[in-house]
C-alpha cells in the first residue's frame, strides 16, 4: 500500500434533527484535504462488515482517500429508528452525511460512494438526488428497478427470497448496539426489537409495481443521475441486469464490468477472484482526483464470456474468456429469431399446440437465488433433471460456436386453464454427454402479460400473447453443443408457486425465441481486471470455524424437503475484544401435486460477548406458508442477556395477506 493512515473506530456524524450516525473512518496520513469514499449500510460496521471492510477501505486510504463507513439510522451503533430498506429517511440521511463529509476540513469536497448490494442500491439512489458533493459512484451487484430486479419479485412472480431476506433482516435488526459506543444500548435494544417493522409482510402486501417500488428505482428517470457510474457484478450473482442497463441509458460516463463472480466484491470472490481495488481506484482517481488515466475511455461493456463447465452447486472455477464492447448497445449484437417447433428450435415457423405442466417440485437444480450469501451448496447445478420435467425445445448440434450477449426474449401465444399461471423460461447449454448448464432464466406471472402495475386474471381458454425478457447473459456455446429452451409452470424454491397447478398451452405458430447473437470480426482488448492485489485482512481470532451443509429428502407422502445449515463461525476482534458468532437454518418443502403446500421456514442465532462483562444472544424464527387464498407469515424473537442467559424480551408477530394474483 502506498501510504499510512489512521483508523477512527467510532465517530459521530450529527444529523439536522439531532440524531447521530455512527461512522468508522480511515484517514490518510498528512495534512489533506482528501477526496472521500462513503459506504453506507445497515450491516454494522463494528462486526457485521468489519471482515470485508478490512480488505477495502485500508487500501483506498493508503492511496489518499478518506474512507467513511456509516451505519444507517437504527442499525449498528447509530441512533434513531430503522424503518425500511431505501426509505426516504435513509436517503435524506444519506444526503446529510454526504454534505457533512464535504464540509470537513480534511475533505476537499469531492465524495464518491461505493457499495455492494444495499450499498450499491443506495449509491445509485443518492446519485439520482444530485447531492452537490457526490462526484462518482461504484455500484456493485445492484438494481435500477426495485420491483423487476431485486430479491422480492421477478416477472411479477413472488420470489421465496422475499420471505428469506425478510427473515435475515429480522435477525439483523434484533442485534444490539455495542455498549462501548452506546451506554444506552440495553434500552435501545429493547426499543429496536419492540419497534421492528415486519418487512417481509409489508413487501408482500406490495404485489404490483406501484409507487412503493418506484421509489428508489433509478430507471424511473435516468437523467437524474449526473455522477459517473462504474457498475460491477458477476454472472453467478442475482443482479446481472443493472450494469448494461446503466450503460445503455445514462447520459453521464458509465461503464459495465461483469466477471464470473458471485455476490461478493471481486477480490474476495470464491469464483475466480480479481483486482477489484484497481478498478475502483482508477474510477475514483479519474472523477475525484482529476487524474488523466483513461477511465472515461474504457470499453462500455467488459465481460467474462462463459462457456460450459459441467455445473455443480459447489463453488468451482468457471470456464470462458474476457471480451469487451466499445459501445453498448453494440453493433456486434443482432437479433437472431428462432421458432418453437415440436421439441425443437428452428429457423422456420412451426404449427401445433404444446401443453406445459409440471410437478411443483421442479427446480431442484435451481440453486440459491443469490449465490455468495451462503457458505456453499448454492450455485445452479446440472439442469438435466429439471429439463426432464419441463417442455424442451432443442436446436440441432451447433456446427460452429454461438455467442450470446444481452437479454434473450421469448414471445409466446398461449391459453391457460387457471386464472393465475406462471411460465418459467430457462436457456441452457447442453453438452454432448447430456449435462445441461443454465445460461439464463426468467419467470413471468402471466397475469402480468400486459402490465406489472395493473395485472389481470386469465380467462381459461382465451388466447393471449406475452413476452419474457430473460436475464442478461454472456455465454459461448461450443460446436457440437445444443441450445435448449426449457419451459415450466413453476421453479421451486426460487419462485413461489401459483395457487393451483396450471396447464399453459402454447400455440407454436406465434412462439419465437429472439437471441442476442454476437458476431465480431476483430476483438478489441478486453481490459479485464488482473488477479487480486495484496490486501489486508481482518485481525481476529477464530473461535469456531465456519461451515455449511445442504440436505434434500423425499417424505413418504411425496413431499420434497430441502434443509440447509450455514454456520458463519465465531471470532474475537483483536482490537475491541468483541466476540460474535452466528448460524442459520433454512427449510423449504412442497408436494409435487399441490403448489399451495409450499412452506419456507428459517431460524437465526446470534451470540455477542466481551470478556465476562457482557453477553447477549438472540434467536429468531420465521415461517411462511399459504393456501389458495392467502399467505400466512409468522415470526418470533427471543433475546437474552448474561452468562446464565436471562430473558430480556420475547415477542411474536403474525400476518395474513391475501394472495391477489400471485
Amino acid at each position: 500500500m502506498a501510504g499510512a493512515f489512521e483508523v477512527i473506530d467510532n465517530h459521530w456524524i450529527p444529523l439536522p434533527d439531532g440524531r447521530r450516525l455512527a461512522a468508522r473512518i480511515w484517514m490518510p496520513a498528512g495534512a489533506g484535504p482528501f477526496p472521500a469514499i462513503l459506504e453506507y449500510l445497515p450491516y454494522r460496521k463494528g462486526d457485521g462488515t468489519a471482515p470485508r471492510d478490512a480488505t477495502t477501505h485500508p487500501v483506498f486510504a493508503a492511496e489518499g482517500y478518506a474512507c467513511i463507513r456509516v451505519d444507517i439510522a437504527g442499525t449498528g451503533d447509530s441512533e434513531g429508528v430503522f424503518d425500511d430498506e431505501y426509505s426516504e429517511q435513509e436517503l435524506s440521511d444519506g444526503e446529510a452525511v454526504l454534505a457533512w463529509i464535504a464540509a470537513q476540513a480534511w475533505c476537499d469536497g469531492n465524495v464518491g460512494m461505493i457499495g455492494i448490494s444495499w450499498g450499491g442500491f443506495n449509491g445509485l439512489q443518492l446519485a439520482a438526488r444530485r447531492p452537490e458533493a457526490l462526484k462518482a459512484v461504484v455500484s456493485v451487484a445492484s438494481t435500477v428497478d426495485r420491483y423487476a430486479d431485486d430479491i422480492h419479485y421477478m416477472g411479477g412472480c413472488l420470489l421465496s427470497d422475499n420471505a428469506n431476506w425478510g427473515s435475515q433482516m429480522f435477525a439483523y435488526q434484533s442485534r444490539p448496539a455495542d455498549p462501548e459506543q452506546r451506554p444506552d444500548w440495553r434500552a435501545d435494544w429493547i426499543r429496536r426489537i419492540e419497534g421492528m417493522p415486519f418487512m417481509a409482510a409489508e413487501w408482500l402486501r406490495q404485489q404490483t409495481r406501484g409507487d412503493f417500488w418506484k421509489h428508489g428505482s433509478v430507471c424511473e428517470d435516468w437523467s437524474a443521475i449526473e455522477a459517473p457510474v462504474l457498475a460491477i457484478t458477476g454472472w453467478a450473482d442475482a443482479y446481472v441486469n443493472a450494469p448494461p442497463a446503466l450503460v445503455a441509458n445514462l447520459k453521464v460516463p458509465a461503464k459495465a464490468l461483469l466477471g464470473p463472480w458471485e455476490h461478493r466484491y471481486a477480490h474476495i470472490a470464491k469464483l475466480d477472484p480479481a483486482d477489484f481495488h484497481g478498478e475502483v481506484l482508477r474510477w475514483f482517481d479519474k472523477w475525484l482526483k482529476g487524474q488523466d488515466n483513461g477511465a472515461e475511455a474504457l470499453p462500455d461493456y467488459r465481460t467474462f464470456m462463459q462457456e460450459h463447465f459441467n455445473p455443480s452447486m459447489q463453488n468451482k472455477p468457471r470456464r470462458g474468456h474476457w471480451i469487451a464492447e466499445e459501445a453498448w448497445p453494440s453493433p456486434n449484437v443482432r437479433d437472431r429469431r428462432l421458432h418453437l417447433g415440436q421439441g425443437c428450435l428452428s429457423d422456420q415457423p412451426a404449427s401445433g399446440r404444446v401443453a406445459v405442466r409440471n410437478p411443483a417440485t421442479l427446480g431442484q437444480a435451481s440453486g440459491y437465488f443469490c449465490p455468495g450469501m451462503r457458505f456453499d451448496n448454492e450455485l445452479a447445478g446440472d439442469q438435466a433433471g429439471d429439463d426432464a420435467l419441463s417442455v424442451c425445445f432443442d436446436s440441432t448440434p451447433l456446427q460452429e460456436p454461438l455467442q450470446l450477449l444481452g437479454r434473450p426474449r421469448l414471445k409466446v401465444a398461449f391459453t391457460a386453464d387457471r386464472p393465475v399461471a406462471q411460465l418459467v423460461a430457462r436457456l441452457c447449454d447442453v453438452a454432448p454427454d447430456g449435462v445441461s448448464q443454465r445460461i439464463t432464466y426468467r419467470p413471468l406471472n402471466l397475469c402480468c402479460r400486459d402490465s406489472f402495475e395493473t395485472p389481470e386474471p386469465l380467462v381459461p381458454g382465451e388466447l393471449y400473447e406475452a413476452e419474457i425478457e430473460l436475464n442478461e447473459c454472456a455465454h459461448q456455446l461450443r460446436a457440437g453443443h445444443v441450445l435448449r429452451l426449457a419451459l415450466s409452470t413453476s421453479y421451486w424454491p426460487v419462485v413461489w408457486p401459483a395457487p393451483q397447478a396450471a396447464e399453459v398451452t402454447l400455440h407454436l405458430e406465434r412462439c419465437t425465441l429472439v437471441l442476442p447473437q454476437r458476431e465480431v470480426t476483430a476483438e478489441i482488448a478486453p481490459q479485464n481486471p488482473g488477479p487480486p492485489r495484496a490486501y489486508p485482512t481482518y485481525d481476529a481470532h477464530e473461535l469456531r470455524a465456519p461451515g455449511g451443509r445442504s440436505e434434500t429428502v423425499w417424505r413418504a407422502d411425496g413431499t420434497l424437503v430441502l434443509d440447509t445449515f450455514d454456520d458463519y463461525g465465531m471470532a474475537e476482534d483483536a482490537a475491541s475484544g468483541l466476540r460474535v458468532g452466528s448460524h442459520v437454518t433454512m427449510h423449504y418443502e412442497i408436494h409435487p401435486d399441490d403448489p399451495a403446500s409450499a412452506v419456507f421456514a428459517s431460524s437465526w442465532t446470534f451470540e455477542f460477548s466481551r470478556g465476562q462483562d457482557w453477553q447477549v444472544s438472540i434467536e429468531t424464527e420465521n415461517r411462511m406458508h399459504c393456501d389458495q387464498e392467502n399467505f400466512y407469515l409468522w415470526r418470533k424473537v427471543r433475546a437474552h442477556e448474561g452468562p446464565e442467559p436471562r430473558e430480556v424480551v420475547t415477542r411474536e408477530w403474525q400476518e395474513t395477506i391475501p394472495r391477489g394474483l400471485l
Side-chain angles (χ1 to χ4, degrees):
M1 293 188 293
F5 56 90
E6 174 191 4
V7 181
I8 303 167
D9 280 332
N10 193 73
H11 187 89
W12 294 107
I13 298 177
L15 296 176
D17 63 3
R19 290 173 298 138
R20 300 180 303 166
L21 301 187
R24 175 171 286 166
I25 301 175
W26 293 258
M27 187 66 67
F34 310 103
I37 298 173
L38 168 65
E39 189 167 14
Y40 179 48
L41 293 171
Y43 301 143
R44 301 170 62 89
K45 64 175 177 61
D47 53 79
T49 62
R52 187 181 75 199
D53 296 343
T55 73
T56 55
H57 295 301
V59 177
F60 305 143
E63 296 291 338
Y65 290 94
C67 296
I68 304 94
R69 164 66 180 85
V70 177
D71 287 340
I72 288 171
T75 74
D77 297 324
S78 287
E79 296 175 348
V81 176
F82 178 83
D83 52 359
D84 199 356
E85 56 182 15
Y86 324 120
S87 68
E88 178 60 29
Q89 172 185 273
E90 173 187 330
L91 298 180
S92 60
D93 287 354
E95 289 183 278
V97 169
L98 287 164
W100 179 87
I101 294 171
Q104 301 310 296
W106 43 259
C107 181
D108 66 5
N110 296 304
V111 186
M113 286 192 70
I114 189 173
I116 180 172
S117 200
W118 196 303
F121 280 48
N122 65 28
L124 295 174
Q125 292 161 358
L126 281 163
R129 297 164 80 100
R130 301 178 183 173
E132 182 179 356
L134 184 57
K135 301 297 196 301
V137 172
V138 176
S139 181
V140 184
S142 62
T143 189
V144 298
D145 190 326
R146 293 182 56 216
Y147 181 77
D149 281 312
D150 194 7
I151 208 163
H152 310 293
Y153 297 90
M154 183 186 292
C157 298
L158 175 67
L159 297 173
S160 66
D161 260 46
N162 184 78
N164 183 18
W165 179 238
S167 74
Q168 187 167 344
M169 283 301 297
F170 177 47
Y172 280 7
Q173 290 309 111
S174 70
R175 300 175 292 183
D178 188 336
E180 288 200 348
Q181 310 300 340
R182 293 282 301 275
D184 64 339
W185 72 272
R186 196 177 190 277
D188 179 72
W189 186 29
I190 295 172
R191 282 195 300 269
R192 285 186 183 186
I193 291 175
E194 294 287 353
M196 280 192 293
F198 200 163
M199 289 186 286
E202 178 59 25
W203 300 332
L204 187 50
R205 276 190 285 269
Q206 306 292 335
Q207 298 177 4
T208 60
R209 194 178 184 279
D211 290 342
F212 181 89
W213 300 112
K214 291 178 183 179
H215 170 79
S217 291
V218 300
C219 63
E220 291 296 300
D221 182 6
W222 297 105
S223 67
I225 294 180
E226 296 181 344
V229 175
L230 173 61
I232 304 174
T233 195
W235 292 119
D237 204 329
Y239 295 95
V240 296
N241 295 323
L246 287 161
V247 170
N249 290 284
L250 292 186
K251 306 305 180 186
V252 294
K255 305 295 177 182
L257 175 66
L258 284 84
W261 317 300
E262 73 276 27
H263 194 74
R264 296 171 183 263
Y265 283 148
H267 67 293
I268 54 174
K270 296 179 181 179
L271 303 175
D272 301 335
D275 183 16
F276 175 70
H277 302 96
E279 295 293 331
V280 173
L281 287 168
R282 174 166 50 183
W283 196 250
F284 285 148
D285 285 350
K286 170 63 182 179
W287 305 110
L288 303 186
K289 291 184 176 180
Q291 292 184 7
D292 186 13
N293 60 12
E296 77 284 2
L298 285 168
D300 275 0
Y301 195 169
R302 293 175 292 153
T303 186
F304 184 76
M305 177 71 71
Q306 296 195 116
E307 296 183 25
H308 200 288
F309 47 75
N310 290 329
S312 73
M313 299 188 78
Q314 287 72 45
N315 296 307
K316 65 182 216 177
R318 313 285 91 173
R319 179 171 177 175
H321 62 283
W322 283 89
I323 64 165
E325 290 292 345
E326 194 68 50
W328 190 258
S330 171
N332 297 323
V333 178
R334 64 174 182 85
D335 286 348
R336 177 179 175 184
R337 188 177 301 271
L338 296 176
H339 300 272
L340 277 60
Q342 295 290 341
C344 66
L345 293 172
S346 170
D347 291 327
Q348 302 301 319
S351 60
R353 307 286 184 270
V354 171
V356 183
R357 183 188 178 105
N358 56 266
T361 48
L362 187 149
Q364 290 186 66
S366 61
Y368 192 60
F369 170 73
C370 190
M373 299 175 70
R374 291 190 54 218
F375 185 75
D376 205 345
N377 304 300
E378 56 180 353
L379 302 175
D382 182 358
Q383 303 288 295
D386 286 338
D387 292 354
L389 299 175
S390 306
V391 173
C392 295
F393 303 87
D394 288 1
S395 73
T396 57
L398 299 176
Q399 299 301 305
E400 57 187 22
L402 171 65
Q403 285 193 358
L404 304 177
L405 181 61
R407 300 188 67 171
R409 306 189 311 277
L410 174 65
K411 301 180 180 183
V412 295
F414 69 94
T415 57
D417 66 348
R418 295 287 185 270
V420 178
Q422 301 171 350
L423 188 63
V424 183
R426 288 179 292 118
L427 206 58
C428 300
D429 176 349
V430 184
D433 63 1
V435 174
S436 178
Q437 178 175 324
R438 193 181 72 194
I439 300 171
T440 182
Y441 77 103
R442 188 101 179 163
L444 177 64
N445 179 346
L446 294 173
C447 297
C448 300
R449 61 199 174 274
D450 296 322
S451 170
F452 293 112
E453 297 185 29
T454 56
E456 296 181 350
L458 300 163
V459 176
E462 187 167 326
L463 184 63
Y464 299 101
E465 292 187 347
E467 178 173 307
I468 302 175
E469 186 178 30
L470 281 72
N471 295 318
E472 187 82 8
C473 67
H475 191 91
Q476 176 171 289
L477 293 92
R478 298 194 287 274
H481 285 222
V482 165
L483 178 67
R484 170 173 293 165
L485 173 67
L487 299 181
S488 60
T489 51
S490 65
Y491 199 43
W492 176 260
V494 171
V495 178
W496 199 275
Q500 297 176 288
E503 183 170 283
V504 176
T505 300
L506 303 180
H507 294 238
L508 296 180
E509 63 274 9
R510 294 161 64 182
C511 295
T512 56
L513 174 65
V514 183
L515 300 173
Q517 182 170 345
R518 181 177 186 264
E519 294 179 323
V520 58
T521 55
E523 296 279 6
I524 64 172
Q527 300 191 52
N528 54 291
R533 63 181 64 186
Y535 56 85
T537 55
Y538 185 47
D539 187 6
H541 176 55
E542 185 179 273
L543 304 174
R544 186 179 75 235
R549 61 179 181 269
S550 181
E551 181 182 20
T552 300
V553 298
W554 293 87
R555 291 182 183 151
D557 68 353
T559 297
L560 175 66
V561 177
L562 169 63
D563 285 306
T564 70
F565 174 75
D566 288 282
D567 186 349
Y568 297 102
M570 178 176 285
E572 180 177 328
D573 186 287
S576 70
L578 181 65
R579 292 185 175 189
V580 182
S582 65
H583 57 80
V584 56
T585 65
M586 290 184 283
H587 172 88
Y588 301 84
E589 66 177 71
I590 197 167
H591 192 280
D593 301 328
D594 182 10
S597 67
V599 174
F600 166 78
S602 71
S603 62
W604 282 81
T605 298
F606 276 98
E607 301 170 89
F608 297 88
S609 65
R610 182 180 281 111
Q612 300 301 313
D613 300 326
W614 186 64
Q615 302 90 21
V616 299
S617 62
I618 307 108
E619 298 173 359
T620 62
E621 299 176 75
N622 306 264
R623 180 180 171 89
M624 174 175 166
H625 67 283
C626 64
D627 54 29
Q628 293 185 14
E629 290 77 36
N630 298 299
F631 297 108
Y632 304 96
L633 284 76
W634 170 86
R635 68 179 189 175
K636 182 177 182 179
V637 60
R638 293 186 294 269
H640 296 85
E641 179 186 7
E644 296 182 2
R646 60 184 182 276
E647 182 178 303
V648 175
V649 62
T650 296
R651 187 173 174 193
E652 294 185 44
W653 296 257
Q654 60 183 13
E655 294 268 3
T656 298
I657 298 174
R659 292 190 68 132
L661 294 177
L662 291 178

